[in-house]
Amino acid sequence: MKFSWIIIALFFCTTSFGQSDEEATRALKKLTFLHQLDSLKKAHPNWEITQITYSPDDSKTLHYDTNGLREIKNASQTITEKLLQKDSILEFRVSYIYLNGSKMPKNKIDSLRDEIKNKYTANVPFSELAKEYSDDPSAKNGGDLGWFPSGRMVASFESAIKAHKKDDLFFAEYVEGSREWYFVILKTHEDRKSEIITVGQIRNKKN
């Protein structure tokens, strides 16, 4: 009798507060579209269900089976994922010098930008100019921002990048309220299209 009550208690805990790996797989396998994840959360409020979007670099390394599923197991938990959406995005890569308009007047900014452009035209490496002039932490990397997706930067910055080609040196600015940001930008790469993926994820923690 005591053993029977233990079995019942274990069953209740599983159904109320968690799920088996097999249940997670079956539940995710039924999903086709991202919006269905909300219904799954409502149906199983005690399950740890999340939506995750992977960066382009991460998306390239992840592999899902023919059902769009992938499972990661370790000693503490099993993570089951279902690929639900793929999106194409535009990415940019530039190096830049940031000049802080709150620290100096506009005529000084203009003078510095012309000075930087003239030095670059005279074959001074942009990375050295960034270390000398930029107020941004990226200066230590020569001003390189790495790849970043459309929509991350302020609109005037991104618009200027879109309007230029690889190896162009140009200016951009963002002035709004107390923010006075001025930039000297070197477009180091052509724009590229990349893919991001969004998944539904269920975590099954081991006790």
Side-chain angles (χ1 to χ4, degrees), residues 51-111:
Q51 174 183 319
I52 296 176
T53 299
Y54 287 107
S55 71
D57 287 338
D58 288 334
S59 296
K60 293 173 186 175
T61 65
L62 302 178
H63 302 284
Y64 296 82
D65 66 18
T66 54
N67 293 307
L69 293 165
R70 136 180 130 106
E71 191 175 79
I72 309 102
K73 288 189 175 184
N74 56 46
S76 62
Q77 65 182 345
T78 298
I79 300 172
T80 309
E81 290 183 347
K82 174 68 181 288
L83 175 58
L84 295 172
Q85 185 168 296
K86 294 182 179 181
D87 294 289
S88 179
I89 62 168
L90 193 62
E91 290 190 297
F92 313 100
R93 188 164 184 177
V94 301
S95 292
Y96 86 134
I97 293 169
Y98 165 58
L99 302 172
N100 190 344
S102 65
K103 292 182 177 180
M104 63 187 87
K106 180 61 164 54
N107 61 342
K108 177 64 174 177
I109 296 282
D110 291 339
S111 176

Coordinates of all heavy atoms in Angstrom, one line a residue, residues 51-111:
Q51 N 10.9 31.1 -25.7 CA 11.2 31.4 -27.1 C 12.6 32.0 -27.2 O 12.9 32.9 -26.4 CB 10.1 32.4 -27.6 CG 10.4 32.8 -29.0 CD 9.4 33.9 -29.5 OE1 8.2 33.7 -29.2 NE2 9.8 34.9 -30.2
I52 N 13.4 31.5 -28.1 CA 14.8 31.9 -28.2 C 15.1 32.2 -29.7 O 14.7 31.4 -30.5 CB 15.8 30.9 -27.6 CG1 15.5 30.7 -26.1 CG2 17.2 31.3 -27.9 CD1 16.4 29.6 -25.5
T53 N 15.7 33.4 -29.9 CA 16.2 33.7 -31.2 C 17.7 33.7 -31.2 O 18.3 34.3 -30.4 CB 15.7 35.1 -31.7 OG1 14.2 35.1 -31.7 CG2 16.2 35.4 -33.1
Y54 N 18.2 32.9 -32.1 CA 19.7 32.7 -32.2 C 20.3 33.7 -33.2 O 19.7 34.0 -34.3 CB 20.1 31.3 -32.6 CG 19.9 30.3 -31.5 CD1 18.8 29.4 -31.6 CD2 20.7 30.2 -30.4 CE1 18.6 28.4 -30.5 CE2 20.5 29.3 -29.4 CZ 19.5 28.4 -29.5 OH 19.3 27.5 -28.5
S55 N 21.5 34.2 -32.9 CA 22.2 35.1 -33.8 C 22.6 34.4 -35.1 O 22.6 33.2 -35.1 CB 23.4 35.7 -33.1 OG 24.4 34.6 -33.0
P56 N 22.9 35.2 -36.1 CA 23.4 34.5 -37.4 C 24.5 33.6 -37.2 O 24.6 32.5 -37.7 CB 23.8 35.7 -38.3 CG 22.9 36.8 -37.8 CD 22.8 36.6 -36.3
D57 N 25.5 34.0 -36.3 CA 26.7 33.1 -36.1 C 26.3 31.8 -35.4 O 26.8 30.7 -35.8 CB 27.7 33.8 -35.3 CG 28.4 34.9 -36.1 OD1 28.5 34.8 -37.3 OD2 29.0 35.8 -35.4
D58 N 25.4 31.9 -34.4 CA 24.9 30.7 -33.7 C 24.0 29.8 -34.7 O 24.2 28.6 -34.7 CB 24.1 31.1 -32.5 CG 24.9 31.6 -31.4 OD1 26.1 31.3 -31.3 OD2 24.4 32.4 -30.6
S59 N 23.2 30.5 -35.5 CA 22.3 29.8 -36.4 C 23.0 28.9 -37.3 O 22.6 27.8 -37.7 CB 21.4 30.8 -37.1 OG 20.6 31.5 -36.3
K60 N 24.2 29.3 -37.7 CA 25.0 28.5 -38.7 C 25.5 27.2 -38.1 O 25.8 26.3 -38.8 CB 26.2 29.3 -39.2 CG 25.8 30.5 -40.1 CD 27.0 31.4 -40.4 CE 26.6 32.7 -41.1 NZ 27.8 33.6 -41.3
T61 N 25.7 27.2 -36.8 CA 26.3 26.0 -36.1 C 25.3 25.0 -35.6 O 25.6 23.9 -35.2 CB 27.2 26.4 -35.0 OG1 26.4 27.1 -34.0 CG2 28.2 27.4 -35.5
L62 N 24.0 25.4 -35.6 CA 23.0 24.5 -35.0 C 22.3 23.6 -36.0 O 22.1 24.0 -37.1 CB 21.9 25.4 -34.3 CG 22.4 26.3 -33.2 CD1 21.2 27.2 -32.7 CD2 23.0 25.6 -32.1
H63 N 22.1 22.3 -35.6 CA 21.6 21.3 -36.5 C 20.3 20.7 -35.9 O 20.3 20.2 -34.8 CB 22.6 20.3 -36.8 CG 23.9 20.8 -37.4 ND1 24.0 21.3 -38.7 CD2 25.1 21.1 -36.9 CE1 25.2 21.7 -39.0 NE2 25.9 21.6 -37.8
Y64 N 19.2 20.7 -36.7 CA 17.9 20.1 -36.3 C 17.6 18.9 -37.2 O 18.0 18.9 -38.4 CB 16.9 21.2 -36.3 CG 17.1 22.3 -35.4 CD1 18.0 23.3 -35.7 CD2 16.6 22.3 -34.1 CE1 18.3 24.4 -34.8 CE2 16.8 23.3 -33.2 CZ 17.7 24.3 -33.5 OH 18.0 25.3 -32.6
D65 N 16.8 18.0 -36.6 CA 16.5 16.8 -37.4 C 15.4 17.1 -38.4 O 15.0 18.2 -38.6 CB 16.1 15.6 -36.5 CG 14.9 15.8 -35.7 OD1 14.1 16.7 -36.1 OD2 14.6 15.1 -34.7
T66 N 14.9 16.1 -39.1 CA 13.9 16.3 -40.2 C 12.6 16.9 -39.6 O 11.8 17.4 -40.4 CB 13.6 15.0 -40.9 OG1 13.3 14.0 -40.0 CG2 14.9 14.6 -41.7
N67 N 12.3 16.7 -38.3 CA 11.1 17.2 -37.7 C 11.4 18.6 -37.1 O 10.5 19.2 -36.4 CB 10.7 16.3 -36.6 CG 10.1 15.0 -37.1 OD1 9.3 15.0 -38.0 ND2 10.7 13.9 -36.6
G68 N 12.6 19.2 -37.3 CA 13.0 20.5 -36.8 C 13.3 20.4 -35.3 O 13.3 21.5 -34.6
L69 N 13.6 19.2 -34.8 CA 13.9 19.1 -33.3 C 15.4 18.9 -33.1 O 16.2 18.4 -33.9 CB 13.2 17.9 -32.8 CG 11.6 18.0 -32.8 CD1 11.0 16.6 -32.6 CD2 11.2 18.9 -31.7
R70 N 15.8 19.3 -31.9 CA 17.2 19.0 -31.4 C 17.1 18.9 -29.9 O 16.3 19.6 -29.2 CB 18.1 20.2 -31.9 CG 19.0 20.7 -30.9 CD 19.9 21.8 -31.6 NE 19.9 23.0 -30.8 CZ 20.9 23.4 -30.1 NH1 22.0 22.8 -30.1 NH2 20.8 24.5 -29.3
E71 N 17.9 18.0 -29.4 CA 17.9 17.7 -27.9 C 19.3 17.8 -27.4 O 20.3 17.4 -28.0 CB 17.4 16.3 -27.7 CG 17.1 16.0 -26.2 CD 16.4 14.7 -26.0 OE1 17.1 13.7 -26.1 OE2 15.2 14.6 -25.9
I72 N 19.5 18.6 -26.2 CA 20.7 18.7 -25.6 C 20.6 18.1 -24.2 O 19.7 18.6 -23.4 CB 21.2 20.2 -25.5 CG1 21.1 20.8 -26.9 CG2 22.6 20.3 -24.9 CD1 19.9 21.7 -27.0
K73 N 21.4 17.1 -23.8 CA 21.3 16.5 -22.5 C 22.6 16.7 -21.7 O 23.7 16.7 -22.3 CB 21.1 15.0 -22.6 CG 19.7 14.6 -23.1 CD 19.5 13.1 -23.0 CE 18.0 12.8 -23.4 NZ 17.7 11.3 -23.2
N74 N 22.5 17.0 -20.4 CA 23.6 17.0 -19.5 C 23.1 16.4 -18.2 O 22.0 16.0 -18.1 CB 24.2 18.4 -19.4 CG 23.2 19.5 -18.9 OD1 22.4 19.2 -18.0 ND2 23.2 20.6 -19.6
A75 N 24.0 16.5 -17.2 CA 23.7 15.8 -15.9 C 22.5 16.5 -15.2 O 21.8 15.9 -14.4 CB 24.9 15.9 -15.0
S76 N 22.3 17.8 -15.4 CA 21.3 18.5 -14.7 C 20.0 18.7 -15.4 O 19.0 18.9 -14.8 CB 21.8 19.9 -14.3 OG 22.1 20.7 -15.4
Q77 N 20.0 18.6 -16.7 CA 18.7 18.9 -17.5 C 18.8 18.3 -18.9 O 19.9 18.0 -19.4 CB 18.4 20.4 -17.5 CG 19.4 21.2 -18.2 CD 19.2 22.7 -18.2 OE1 18.1 23.1 -17.9 NE2 20.1 23.5 -18.6
T78 N 17.6 18.2 -19.5 CA 17.5 18.0 -20.9 C 16.8 19.2 -21.5 O 15.7 19.6 -21.0 CB 16.6 16.7 -21.2 OG1 17.3 15.6 -20.6 CG2 16.5 16.5 -22.7
I79 N 17.4 19.7 -22.6 CA 16.8 20.8 -23.3 C 16.3 20.3 -24.7 O 17.1 19.7 -25.4 CB 17.8 22.0 -23.5 CG1 18.3 22.5 -22.1 CG2 17.2 23.1 -24.3 CD1 19.5 23.4 -22.3
T80 N 15.0 20.5 -25.0 CA 14.5 20.1 -26.2 C 14.0 21.4 -27.0 O 13.3 22.2 -26.4 CB 13.3 19.2 -26.0 OG1 13.6 18.1 -25.2 CG2 12.8 18.6 -27.4
E81 N 14.4 21.5 -28.3 CA 14.0 22.6 -29.1 C 13.3 22.2 -30.3 O 13.6 21.2 -30.9 CB 15.3 23.4 -29.5 CG 16.0 24.1 -28.3 CD 17.2 25.0 -28.8 OE1 17.6 24.8 -29.9 OE2 17.7 25.8 -28.0
K82 N 12.4 23.1 -30.8 CA 11.8 23.0 -32.1 C 12.0 24.2 -32.9 O 11.7 25.3 -32.5 CB 10.3 22.7 -31.9 CG 9.4 22.7 -33.2 CD 9.8 21.4 -34.0 CE 9.0 21.4 -35.3 NZ 7.6 21.1 -35.2
L83 N 12.5 24.1 -34.1 CA 12.8 25.2 -35.0 C 11.4 25.6 -35.6 O 10.7 24.8 -36.2 CB 13.7 24.7 -36.1 CG 13.9 25.7 -37.3 CD1 14.5 27.0 -36.7 CD2 14.9 25.1 -38.3
L84 N 11.0 26.9 -35.3 CA 9.7 27.4 -35.7 C 9.7 28.5 -36.7 O 8.7 28.7 -37.4 CB 9.0 27.8 -34.4 CG 8.6 26.7 -33.4 CD1 8.0 27.3 -32.2 CD2 7.7 25.7 -34.0
Q85 N 10.8 29.2 -36.8 CA 10.8 30.3 -37.8 C 12.3 30.7 -38.2 O 13.2 30.6 -37.4 CB 10.2 31.5 -37.1 CG 10.0 32.7 -38.0 CD 9.1 33.8 -37.4 OE1 7.9 33.6 -37.2 NE2 9.7 35.0 -37.1
K86 N 12.4 31.0 -39.5 CA 13.7 31.5 -40.1 C 13.4 32.9 -40.6 O 12.4 33.1 -41.3 CB 14.2 30.5 -41.1 CG 14.6 29.2 -40.7 CD 15.2 28.3 -41.8 CE 15.6 27.0 -41.4 NZ 16.2 26.2 -42.5
D87 N 14.4 33.8 -40.4 CA 14.2 35.1 -40.9 C 15.6 35.6 -41.5 O 16.6 35.3 -41.0 CB 13.8 36.1 -39.8 CG 12.5 35.8 -39.3 OD1 11.5 36.1 -40.0 OD2 12.4 35.4 -38.1
S88 N 15.5 36.2 -42.7 CA 16.6 36.8 -43.3 C 16.8 38.2 -42.9 O 15.9 39.0 -42.8 CB 16.5 36.7 -44.8 OG 17.6 37.3 -45.5
I89 N 18.0 38.6 -42.5 CA 18.3 39.9 -42.0 C 19.5 40.5 -42.7 O 20.3 39.7 -43.3 CB 18.6 40.0 -40.5 CG1 19.8 39.2 -40.1 CG2 17.4 39.5 -39.7 CD1 20.3 39.4 -38.7
L90 N 19.7 41.8 -42.7 CA 20.8 42.5 -43.4 C 21.8 42.9 -42.2 O 21.4 43.4 -41.2 CB 20.3 43.7 -44.1 CG 21.3 44.4 -45.1 CD1 21.7 43.4 -46.2 CD2 20.7 45.7 -45.6
E91 N 23.1 42.6 -42.5 CA 24.1 42.9 -41.5 C 25.1 43.8 -42.1 O 25.4 43.8 -43.3 CB 24.8 41.6 -41.0 CG 23.9 40.7 -40.2 CD 24.8 39.6 -39.5 OE1 25.3 38.8 -40.3 OE2 24.9 39.6 -38.3
F92 N 25.7 44.6 -41.2 CA 26.7 45.6 -41.6 C 28.0 45.4 -40.8 O 28.0 44.9 -39.7 CB 26.2 47.0 -41.4 CG 24.8 47.3 -41.9 CD1 23.7 47.3 -41.1 CD2 24.6 47.5 -43.3 CE1 22.5 47.5 -41.5 CE2 23.3 47.7 -43.8 CZ 22.2 47.7 -42.9
R93 N 29.1 45.9 -41.4 CA 30.3 45.9 -40.6 C 31.2 47.2 -41.0 O 31.5 47.4 -42.2 CB 31.2 44.7 -40.8 CG 32.4 44.6 -39.9 CD 33.0 43.2 -39.8 NE 34.0 43.2 -38.8 CZ 34.7 42.1 -38.5 NH1 34.4 40.9 -39.1 NH2 35.7 42.1 -37.6
V94 N 31.4 48.0 -40.0 CA 32.2 49.2 -40.2 C 33.2 49.4 -39.0 O 33.0 48.7 -38.0 CB 31.3 50.4 -40.3 CG1 30.3 50.3 -41.4 CG2 30.6 50.7 -38.9
S95 N 34.1 50.3 -39.2 CA 34.9 50.8 -38.1 C 34.6 52.3 -38.0 O 34.3 52.9 -39.0 CB 36.4 50.6 -38.4 OG 36.8 49.3 -38.4
Y96 N 34.6 52.8 -36.8 CA 34.1 54.2 -36.7 C 34.9 54.9 -35.5 O 35.5 54.3 -34.6 CB 32.6 54.2 -36.5 CG 32.1 54.1 -35.1 CD1 31.1 55.0 -34.6 CD2 32.5 53.1 -34.2 CE1 30.6 54.9 -33.3 CE2 32.0 52.9 -33.0 CZ 31.0 53.8 -32.5 OH 30.5 53.7 -31.2
I97 N 34.8 56.2 -35.6 CA 35.4 57.1 -34.6 C 34.2 57.9 -34.1 O 33.5 58.5 -34.8 CB 36.4 58.0 -35.2 CG1 37.7 57.2 -35.6 CG2 36.9 59.1 -34.2 CD1 38.7 58.0 -36.4
Y98 N 34.0 57.8 -32.8 CA 32.9 58.6 -32.1 C 33.5 59.9 -31.5 O 34.4 59.8 -30.7 CB 32.3 57.7 -31.0 CG 31.4 58.4 -30.1 CD1 30.3 59.2 -30.5 CD2 31.7 58.4 -28.7 CE1 29.5 59.9 -29.6 CE2 30.8 59.0 -27.8 CZ 29.8 59.8 -28.2 OH 29.0 60.5 -27.4
L99 N 32.9 61.0 -31.8 CA 33.2 62.3 -31.2 C 32.0 62.8 -30.4 O 30.9 63.0 -31.0 CB 33.6 63.3 -32.3 CG 34.8 62.8 -33.3 CD1 34.9 63.8 -34.4 CD2 36.1 62.7 -32.5
N100 N 32.2 63.0 -29.2 CA 31.2 63.4 -28.2 C 30.9 64.9 -28.3 O 31.7 65.7 -27.8 CB 31.6 62.9 -26.8 CG 30.4 63.0 -25.9 OD1 29.4 63.7 -26.1 ND2 30.5 62.3 -24.7
G101 N 29.7 65.2 -28.8 CA 29.4 66.6 -28.9 C 29.1 67.3 -27.6 O 29.0 68.5 -27.5
S102 N 28.9 66.5 -26.5 CA 28.7 67.2 -25.2 C 30.0 67.6 -24.6 O 30.0 68.3 -23.6 CB 28.0 66.2 -24.3 OG 28.8 65.1 -24.0
K103 N 31.1 67.2 -25.2 CA 32.4 67.6 -24.7 C 33.1 68.7 -25.4 O 34.1 69.3 -24.9 CB 33.3 66.3 -24.6 CG 32.9 65.2 -23.7 CD 33.9 64.1 -23.7 CE 33.6 63.0 -22.7 NZ 34.6 61.9 -22.7
M104 N 32.6 69.0 -26.6 CA 33.3 70.0 -27.5 C 32.3 70.6 -28.4 O 31.2 70.0 -28.7 CB 34.4 69.4 -28.2 CG 34.0 68.3 -29.2 SD 35.5 67.5 -30.0 CE 35.8 66.2 -28.8
P105 N 32.5 71.9 -28.8 CA 31.5 72.5 -29.7 C 31.5 72.0 -31.1 O 32.5 71.3 -31.5 CB 32.0 74.0 -29.7 CG 33.5 73.9 -29.4 CD 33.6 72.7 -28.4
K106 N 30.5 72.3 -31.9 CA 30.3 71.7 -33.2 C 31.4 72.1 -34.1 O 31.9 71.3 -34.9 CB 29.0 72.2 -33.8 CG 28.7 71.7 -35.2 CD 28.6 70.1 -35.2 CE 27.9 69.6 -36.5 NZ 28.5 70.1 -37.8
N107 N 31.9 73.4 -34.0 CA 33.0 73.8 -34.9 C 34.3 73.0 -34.7 O 35.0 72.7 -35.6 CB 33.3 75.3 -34.8 CG 33.7 75.7 -33.4 OD1 33.5 75.0 -32.5 ND2 34.3 76.9 -33.3
K108 N 34.5 72.6 -33.4 CA 35.6 71.7 -33.1 C 35.4 70.3 -33.7 O 36.4 69.7 -34.2 CB 35.8 71.6 -31.6 CG 36.9 70.7 -31.1 CD 38.3 71.2 -31.5 CE 39.4 70.3 -30.9 NZ 40.8 70.7 -31.4
I109 N 34.2 69.8 -33.6 CA 33.9 68.5 -34.2 C 34.2 68.5 -35.7 O 34.8 67.6 -36.2 CB 32.4 68.1 -33.9 CG1 32.1 68.0 -32.4 CG2 32.0 66.9 -34.7 CD1 32.5 66.7 -31.8
D110 N 33.7 69.5 -36.3 CA 33.9 69.6 -37.8 C 35.4 69.6 -38.1 O 35.8 69.0 -39.1 CB 33.2 70.9 -38.3 CG 31.7 70.8 -38.3 OD1 31.2 69.6 -38.2 OD2 31.0 71.8 -38.3
S111 N 36.1 70.4 -37.4 CA 37.6 70.5 -37.6 C 38.3 69.1 -37.4 O 39.1 68.7 -38.2 CB 38.2 71.5 -36.6 OG 39.6 71.6 -36.8

